[in-house]
Amino acid sequence: MEPIFAVTVAVFFATSIYLLLSKHIIRILLGVAIFGNAVNLTIFTAGRLMREVPPIIPVDLDMPAGATANPLPQALILTAIVISFSFFAFLLVLAFRSYQELGTDDTDGMRVAEPEGEELPPLGY
Amino acid sequence: MAADSQWLTFLVLFLPFFAAAAAPLLTRSFGHKAAWILAVFPAFIFLHFIGFAAPVANGETISGGYSWIESLDVDFSWYLDGLSLTFALLISGIGTLIVLYSGGYLKGHAQQGRFFSFILMFMGAMQGLVVADSFLTLFVFWELTSIASFLLIGFDHSREAARRAALQALIVTGAGGLSLLAGLLVIAQATGVNSLSALLAEGEGLREAPLYFAALLLVLGGAFTKSAQFPFHFWLPNAMEAPTPVSAYLHSATMVKAGVYLLMRLNPVMGETFAWETILPLFGGTTLIVGTLLGLRQTDLKLMLAYTTVASLGLLVMLTGFGSHLAVEAAVLYLVAHSLFKGALFMVAGCIDHETGTRDLTRLGGIGRAMPITFAAALLAAFSMGGLPPFFGFLAKEEIYAGLATGSFWGVLLTLVAIIGNGLMFAIGFAVGLKPFIGAASDTPKHPHEGPILLWLGPVILATTGLLAALFSSLSHHFVSSPMASAVVGEPVEISISIVPHVGLPLLLSLVTIALGIFVYLTLERGRASMATVLAAIGWGPDRGFDQFVRGVIRISAVVTGIVQNGRLDIYMTVTFIILAAALFVPMIGFGELPSVPAIAALSFHEWAILVIAFIGLGAVVYARDRLTAIVSLGIQGFAVALLFMLFGAADLSFTQFMVETLSVVILALVMTRLRLSPADHRPTGQKLLDFSIASVCGAGLGLLLMRVVEVPFDPTLSTFFAENSRVIAHGRNIVNVIIVDFRGLDTLGEIAVVMIAGLAILALVRVRAGKPGNATKTKTVETGGEA
Amino acid sequence: MSTLIFRTTAPYLASLMVLFSLFVLLRGHNEPGGGFIGGLIAASALAIYGIACGVPSVRRAIYFHPMAISGSGLFLAALSGLVSLFVEQPFLTGQWITLNVLGVPLDLSTVLFFDIGVYLVVVGSITSIALGLEEREHA
């Protein structure tokens, strides 16, 4: 099972990196969204897979009766999903605002922070 | 020494810093009279160190300290022998006078409190430097003196010249400090000890170590920059931008001697080698000649004195490196004499400047009648500088010639250098100490009159000390010169020279020097003019080189920044991912960690189906030509992931993923409809191919890495712990939730903080737009309406 | 998107979802659920309500500014961690107490309040994001 998931993860990563390499903000944003899923799946797979047994202790027992899915990666991913969503939303608004200000979604045209042909810093003391 | 005085010495080492903290407050309350209170601190320190004079004169050493960083074997420790003690006495003694002098000199200055604070801070640093035992303590205080010097030179920071001089001094001495640190580390590596006292006890070890030469060069890099040896001398004259008390204290009497102190301190363990006895006299002698010649060129009293300071430091380095006991004794005597007369002369120059409004030699004359006390102090100091009896400078000069005139070629050459240097210094000394006071009265910006007691007390005491120390030479030798020379040589020596002249070669050479000095003094104008012509012919100097260096650094950094940060996001990304691919594959292939070919496990039909749906979603995102397709396809791959979580026992994850994907699609739709942009790809095909290859390699690398990870046996320790203790300790049956809110609660607290910060940041972005003129009122009503 | 049917049903749908989110939050310790999921459900509910009936009506309905809700959540979570300091245990150690309300035993814990804090942060922040974007839609 895990090797097939590893291949799946590879496809997720390749797709998101291909989108991240593009010059258009909107494609980069799509890439970021997929990148989050790829990372989550990697953590999930690295914690090993187990079908259909959620890590929940039955009412009358003190610990799970048999093997369950690994709870630790799930806890990590759960918070990661929410945080990556917040981050994605932030990037989205940022992209939107910069589009409004600069009128372009081409990253080559976004040169406010690092303008072309910048002057030398002052040479005096 | 008794343990009860250990804490007192520790206190004394930090006392100047306390005084520095108190200085602005005291100055605010008492004005310039605060000097009288602040001078009590260095005076107390002086008395404390005087108490050590008797035991040190008997050959004892005083050491103490506390463990600083135990795990690294670093101590805060001090070590007092004749050398450190003499320096400590000079620093605290002259420091007391300087504090008083500053009270008069900067009277009424708005930042006088700050000035007191800086100068006391420097005193603490310098004092720590000379008594430091462990290498690290030494280095820390060494750098602290550089920083204090930076602050003091740049005290008048509204002038560009002062800023430039401060920065120059900091860069030159700071770079030297780093060189010193490296040198100390090399010494520690070569000998295995990390304190000066242990190094001195080591004896021959360092000289025979293979790293000796490297250590020597690095240490000299520190000493030569700090003590302004040619070609690093240029920062010292520029440092005259500082107020005169600073020039008198830091840049003649104490700080610039730190390099000489270091050389003297290391003389017993690093000296008497060929390299030592070649490099030191060579650089010292050059500095002596260059310093005096450049000094001759000046008409500004402070600059003339500054160049003779450079020359004197060269003389000291030359004598320290000459290698005979007599030469070392001469260096010791000259060092003490120089601190006394040069400190006095600087303060006199300050007095003249303060009372007449100018310190240009050509505009000064005949002010001796108006300023008799200053004139007397100046004359006493000039006599000592000229090496005339019965002053301490005379003893020093006799010893210099006795030490150098050994008959060897090297000795004759250096004697000649010393005669020229001393003759020129004689001339400059009298040009400062005599010339302004005699002759026809000149027209000065201010009407000259005697300054207040705060101004003349310092030079008078210093100049008189130079006289008394020579008159009672047996006493000063017993308590100061002999213990210091013993520490520099490394074995007990006794200095016996007195003011009674002995007929012999040294006296003859002294007479030659004085004759040369008088000749130069009388032809000063012509000498200055010819020097100016020579310097104009050369045109370039290290001072201009410094400017070129600084501009060059700025230009180069601008070019490098332009290349590295070219402002193109796609290039940043490409480089990042190429390096990621290399980081993944190079170790995996290099260490043979590639995963073996896995067995394809059976997946059920619906599992395959979900995977296929996910891939279709991914493909559709890449090839989407319009907004709706892209959004929907993004949703498809997200929901596929949620289904995968569901199938593999992660119910919580699955719900969360469903909710998040739904919300993502909603907000993406909200933004994309406003953006009116097509997600279609506009890259040329070549670029697409390159990006595709990079992406594929990265993806394959991450996939192979994961395959390799799942091949190694799983360590279930943590997961088992959580499963076993979730209900027992934390009373919860949903293990995932228990981990989030209980076992790893602190992580979650941080994570929800991040979520909240993201929310705040987005709100801020929205508000930025609302803050625009025209939009403001409208959005404001919406906001208040919402909150009401 | 503001069709009549959607606008009519959205308030009911949203209130049902908020109710459900509270249920998911409270059962989270023992069954699938918890603060994160509950918070996301409630935030979606408010986002739907916002799309259907406009942002001002959502702001009126939740009364407080969403970031204020978020902030109070973070405060509550941090506060629940401080309780353990009074019994000289490390920050965020869970404390449990059983109350007897009208003969029914009720387990209360600092962990529950921590989870409620998480819920409030997620609801507040994400609602704020969604409303901010929707506002632009109508602006």
Side-chain angles (χ1 to χ4, degrees), chain A residues 1 12 23-24 26-27 37 48 51-52 55 57 59 61 70 74 78-79 97 99 111 114 125, chain B residues 163 547 566 570 572 601 607 637 647 649 656-657 672 675 679 712 714 719 727 733 735 740 751 765:
Chain A
M1 260 180 313
F12 268 81
K23 283 186 185 187
H24 291 276
I26 206 73
R27 284 180 77 86
N37 281 335
R48 303 304 189 273
R51 281 195 184 96
E52 286 154 16
I57 304 169
V59 182
L61 292 179
N70 189 354
Q74 293 192 24
L78 188 71
T79 48
R97 293 284 302 122
Y99 176 69
R111 305 288 305 240
E114 297 165 306
Y125 292 92
Chain B
R163 292 199 299 273
D547 280 345
N566 48 28
D570 52 328
Y572 296 166
E607 286 162 349
Q637 61 85 31
L647 289 176
T656 314
Q657 179 80 11
M672 291 256 270
L675 270 177
V712 294
F714 182 60
S719 307
R727 178 131 204 212
R733 291 191 292 111
I735 303 174
I740 291 176
E751 281 152 0
L765 280 173

